[in-house]
Amino acid sequence: MKNVLIKLQKMTALMALLLCMYVVVRVIFIYTVSKTAGEYIPFSKYLIYIGNGLRFDVAGLSILNSLFIILYFFPHGFTESTWVKKGTLYLFIISNALGLLVSLSDIVYFPYVQKRIQADTFLYLTGEKGDNVYTILYIFMKGNWPLIVLYFLMLYVLIKYAKRILAKVIQQHQKVKDYLIATASYLLIIGLCILGIRGGLQMKPLDIIHASEMVSAKEVPYILNTPFTITKTLEKGSLRPVEYFPMKVYSSCELPLSVPQVKDKFESKNVVIIIVESLSQSYMSYYKGTSETPFLDSLFSKSLVFNNAYANAKESIQGIPAVVASIPSWQDDSYIFSQYANNQVQSIASLLKPYGYHSYFFHGAGKGSMGFDAFTSSVGFDTYVGKEDYPTMDEYDGAWGIWDEPFLQYMNTLVSKEKKPFVSVLFTISSHHPYRTPAKYGNRFQIKGHPINSVVKYTDFALQQFFEKAKKEAWFNNTLFVITADHTGPNTGDNLTNKKDVSIPIVFYQPDGALVGERDDVANQIDIMPSILDILHYNKPYYSLGKSLFKDDCNRYSINYKAGLYHCYSQEYCYQFNGESCVGFYHVSKDPLFKHNLQKDKSYRNALLEHQTYIKKQIQAFNQSMIRNTMTFDRFVNVHKIFQTQ
C-alpha cells in the first residue's frame, strides 16, 4: 500500500505542475484573443475561466496520460526495471510536450479561424490540405518567438521535474498480500483515470458542447483545452442522424430543394464569382470598416448589396463549398475532407453545364491546396487554374501563391479567349497571413492598425485593375458579377460585435445597372448559387440548402457552426443551440454584445420557438442528406417520397 501511495504522490505532483502550465497558457490565450478583439476582461472573469477550464484541463491531461498511467501503476515489479522506467519517463515527456505544443500553437491559430485546434487541422501537416503550411511556418515562428521561448522553458522545467520525480526506484515487496493490494489499487486508479477522461460522474462524458452550458457562446474557447478538443474531434467522423420532425411537416421554405416556377426564357449570361480571402464587412470602408476600399465602395454603390450577409463557414476549406454548391459547414469536419466528400453533389458549374457553360475555378495557390482542385472537379468544374498554370514565378508572393493583381488579370486573359457563356469562380489569396503586399509598391497600401488592413487595400486595388481591363472585353456587359468572402478574417479590435464576427459582403453587380440598391434581408453564402440561377431564369429543380435572395416568400435565417455551437440569425435575433438544447437567445440590434440572454423571458417564447423549429429542421435535413447521400434533387425526392419532379 505504501508503494501505491508513493506513486500517487508522484503522479499528483506531476499533474499539479502540468495544470499550472495549462493555467499559464490559458491566461495568455485569453489575453491575446481578447486584446485582438479590443475587449477588456476583468481579473474576476479570468478566475471564472480558469475554474471552469480546469475540468477540461483534467480531462485533456487524463486522455494524454492514460497510457502512461496504465504502465506506471501496473502492479508488477518489472515496472521498476531500468528500461521500463526510462520508457514510461519518455512516454510522459513526449505526450505532454506535444500537449503543450498544440496548446501554445492555439494562441496563434485561433485568431485566424476563431475556433480551437481540432483533429482536421493536422491535415495541413500531412499535406492533404496543401503544403502551404511549410512555406509560412518560418514566418509564423519568427512573428511569435516569445511563445517559442516560453514553450522551451516549460519543456525544460517539465523534463527536469519529471526526471527527478520518476527516476527514483521504488522497492517492490513480493508478498501475496502486497500484490493483492497493489492490484486493487491499480483498478481504482484506472477507474479514476476513466473518471478524469469522462470529466466527472455525469451521465454523458464531457464534450465540447458542455462548455456552452458553463459560459456564454463567445466565452466557450476560453475554457476549452486544446488536447481535449483534438481528441474529441478525432471521434467526430460521422454525423448524427437526428429526426426532430417528420419530413411531411416541412414547408417548401424549409426543404433543401428548389423547384423554380419560371416562365421567362433562360438568359445565357456569363457568371463571375469573386471570393475575397477573409473579407469581413468590418474591414471595408463601405461598411465604415478599418481599411480603405475605394473601388469596392464605388462598385457597391452601383450594385445590389445585402447588408445582413453572413458566412456559413470559418475556414476557406468550408467557404468554397458553401458558395459554389450551397453546402454549409454545419459539422466539425470540412465537407471536402469529411467521409461524405464522395457524395453526389450539384454545383453552379454542373447545373449550368447543360446550357453550354464552360466552368473555371481560379486560385493563385498551388494545386492541391486545401483539396480545391479535387473538390471542384468532383462537382463539375471543367478547368482548374492554380499557381503552376501561371506563366511565370516572378509574381509569386513567397508564401501562398500568385499576387491577386496579376492573377486576376490572368483570369481575364483566359476567359476572354474561351467560348461563351462561362461561369468563373476566382478565390483570391493576398489578404491572408503573412499579410504582404508586392515590394514594387513600397508603402503605397500601408494603413495603421492590424496588418490585414493594408492587404485588403491592395486587393481592392487589384480588383479595380481587373474591372478596368475586363470592361473593355466583349463578354463584360453580358456578365453577372458576385462579390463575397470565404469567411471573416481576424479581429482588428474595432468594436467587434457577435454579428460582425460572421458578417461578410454578398453583392450582385450587372454592368447594365439592373441590380442596384441595398437590402436588409438575411443573406447567406449558401443563398448565392440559387440566387444566380434565379437571375438567369433557371427552370429545373435542384437540391440546395440555400434559397434565392430574389424570392420573398420565405422567412430568412442564417445558420453558422463554431466550437460545437450552432448560431441561427434572423434580422432581429440570434438563437444558439448546442445540438441538444438552447443555450442562448439574444436581440441582435439591441444587444450586439449578447450580454442579456432572453432564453427564459416568456415574452420572447414564440420567437424563440420559431428559431428553434427552423434550426432543428435544417440540421436534420443537412445531416440526413449527408448520411444518405441525397444531395441531389432526384435522390432526395426518391428517398423521402415527398413529391415528384415536375
Side-chain angles (χ1 to χ4, degrees), residues 441-627:
Y441 290 116
N443 295 324
R444 176 175 175 177
F445 303 106
Q446 292 305 304
I447 300 178
K448 291 181 180 180
H450 196 288
I452 198 169
N453 293 329
S454 299
V455 288
V456 167
K457 184 178 179 181
Y458 164 72
T459 296
D460 179 78
F461 167 76
L463 289 167
Q464 179 188 31
Q465 298 305 300
F466 165 72
F467 273 86
E468 286 295 324
K469 186 74 178 291
K471 69 183 181 182
K472 298 174 184 177
E473 304 292 348
W475 57 266
F476 183 81
N477 288 326
N478 188 42
T479 301
L480 167 66
F481 293 89
V482 182
I483 298 175
T484 188
D486 56 334
H487 54 78
T488 54
N491 304 335
T492 59
D494 182 64
N495 190 28
L496 186 76
T497 64
N498 289 64
K499 180 182 173 182
K500 282 185 178 180
D501 188 40
V502 286
S503 295
I504 59 169
I506 293 181
V507 178
F508 295 82
Y509 168 71
Q510 285 191 175
D512 62 5
L515 296 172
V516 180
E518 292 187 354
R519 283 175 52 176
D520 292 329
D521 312 51
V522 170
N524 294 268
Q525 289 172 318
I526 58 174
D527 297 327
I528 290 174
M529 183 183 82
S531 299
I532 292 171
L533 295 174
D534 197 9
I535 291 172
L536 301 180
H537 305 312
Y538 186 88
N539 63 1
K540 296 179 182 178
Y542 58 92
Y543 178 98
S544 171
L545 283 148
K547 300 295 179 185
S548 170
L549 296 168
F550 300 98
K551 301 293 185 189
D552 299 320
D553 52 349
C554 297
N555 293 327
R556 298 204 169 274
Y557 302 88
S558 174
I559 299 172
N560 46 65
Y561 176 85
K562 182 176 70 172
L565 282 180
Y566 301 89
H567 302 72
C568 179
Y569 283 90
S570 62
Q571 273 190 275
E572 290 186 283
Y573 304 105
C574 178
Y575 175 93
Q576 295 174 339
F577 182 63
N578 66 8
E580 296 179 355
S581 59
C582 173
V583 295
F585 191 63
Y586 302 92
H587 200 292
V588 175
S589 59
K590 294 180 181 178
D591 181 23
L593 296 178
F594 292 5
K595 293 184 176 180
H596 307 291
N597 192 344
L598 305 173
Q599 181 182 355
K600 296 181 180 179
D601 189 328
K602 292 182 180 179
S603 60
Y604 292 93
R605 180 169 177 76
N606 289 339
L608 185 149
L609 288 175
E610 287 174 8
H611 287 70
Q612 178 175 280
T613 300
Y614 179 81
I615 195 171
K616 283 187 173 182
K617 284 183 175 180
Q618 295 309 294
I619 292 170
Q620 176 177 319
F622 174 78
N623 286 17
Q624 290 190 4
S625 296
M626 295 279 273
I627 293 166

Side-chain angles (χ1 to χ4, degrees), residues 239-242 247 250 254-256 312 321 326-335 338 340 343 526 543-545 559 561 566 614-631 636 640:
L239 287 167
R240 195 159 53 101
V242 295
M247 199 60 64
Y250 277 60
E254 295 162 340
L255 285 169
N312 301 111
S326 192
I327 303 173
S329 182
W330 296 344
Q331 58 178 335
D332 291 305
D333 298 329
S334 61
Y335 170 77
S338 72
Y340 310 108
N343 282 7
I526 58 174
Y543 178 98
S544 171
L545 283 148
I559 299 172
Y561 176 85
Y566 301 89
Y614 179 81
I615 195 171
K616 283 187 173 182
K617 284 183 175 180
Q618 295 309 294
I619 292 170
Q620 176 177 319
F622 174 78
N623 286 17
Q624 290 190 4
S625 296
M626 295 279 273
I627 293 166
R628 299 180 182 181
N629 191 8
T630 57
M631 300 175 73
F636 192 92
H640 295 287

Side-chain angles (χ1 to χ4, degrees), residues 351-393:
L351 291 172
L352 291 179
K353 194 183 293 287
Y355 291 84
Y357 279 73
H358 187 87
S359 53
Y360 303 85
F361 189 92
F362 290 86
H363 186 213
K367 289 185 178 179
S369 176
M370 289 176 275
F372 290 147
D373 53 346
F375 167 72
T376 53
S377 175
S378 72
V379 297
F381 278 82
D382 298 311
T383 304
Y384 183 94
V385 182
K387 178 182 72 176
E388 294 82 358
D389 300 299
Y390 192 76
T392 173
M393 289 299 288

Side-chain angles (χ1 to χ4, degrees), residues 1-8 173 177-179 181-182 185 188:
M1 187 65 180
K2 181 181 177 182
N3 293 339
V4 175
L5 290 175
I6 292 172
K7 285 193 172 185
L8 273 174
H173 299 291
K177 178 183 175 182
D178 294 326
Y179 276 118
I181 292 173
S185 302
L188 178 62

